[in-house]
Amino acid sequence: PLSFDCDDAGKNFIFFLDASDPSGGDVSCQINVSVIDTLDPVVVGADQTIVLDDQGMASVDSAAIVVSATDNCEVVEVTFSRSLDFTCEDIGDNEVTITAIDPSGNTGTTTVTVTVEFEQPQLACVGELNLTLNEA
């Protein structure tokens, strides 16, 4: 073959017959073609805003946070820099790095923001209460 694609990654052995002499001797040479993928995947993410439930928990769906992960070869793995489960400790903006890895080990990353909100009153998120007792 004279053209290669991702399925041909690695060494490929190709034999070409170069010449033959009048006495019937053939000369051939072996050519090794190495197909190397050096292109990083492209990852597109989407910022998300989530609201904690009454237990102070919420999750982001990975399909919502990753818009696309494309590569000249197929992307085989997408990972996140942290869990996509959030609690009261995460109220506010949280950065999440998305990494896509292709079969050749090339990586592409993007960072999105997950904003964690809560509906007031959210008693599950209260860490401390100060009460003052009156004489009664």
Side-chain angles (χ1 to χ4, degrees), residues 31-122:
I31 298 174
N32 298 325
V33 175
S34 294
V35 177
I36 302 169
D37 173 21
T38 60
L39 297 177
D40 292 336
V42 176
V43 184
V44 178
D47 294 341
Q48 298 291 307
T49 298
I50 58 175
V51 179
L52 297 176
D53 62 17
D54 289 337
Q55 287 74 43
M57 300 175 73
S59 296
V60 174
D61 183 4
S62 62
I65 202 170
V66 178
V67 175
S68 65
T70 58
D71 187 56
N72 59 318
C73 296
E74 70 180 86
V75 175
V76 294
E77 184 179 3
V78 175
T79 62
F80 304 95
S81 61
R82 60 154 294 156
S83 168
L84 298 182
D85 297 324
F86 296 86
T87 65
C88 297
E89 285 109 32
D90 301 308
I91 291 173
D93 291 341
N94 300 270
E95 285 192 353
V96 177
T97 300
I98 305 166
T99 302
I101 304 169
D102 73 9
S104 297
N106 301 311
T107 60
T109 62
T110 192
T111 301
V112 297
T113 301
V114 176
T115 303
V116 179
E117 299 178 343
F118 64 96
E119 299 289 329
Q120 298 222 9
Q122 182 54 267

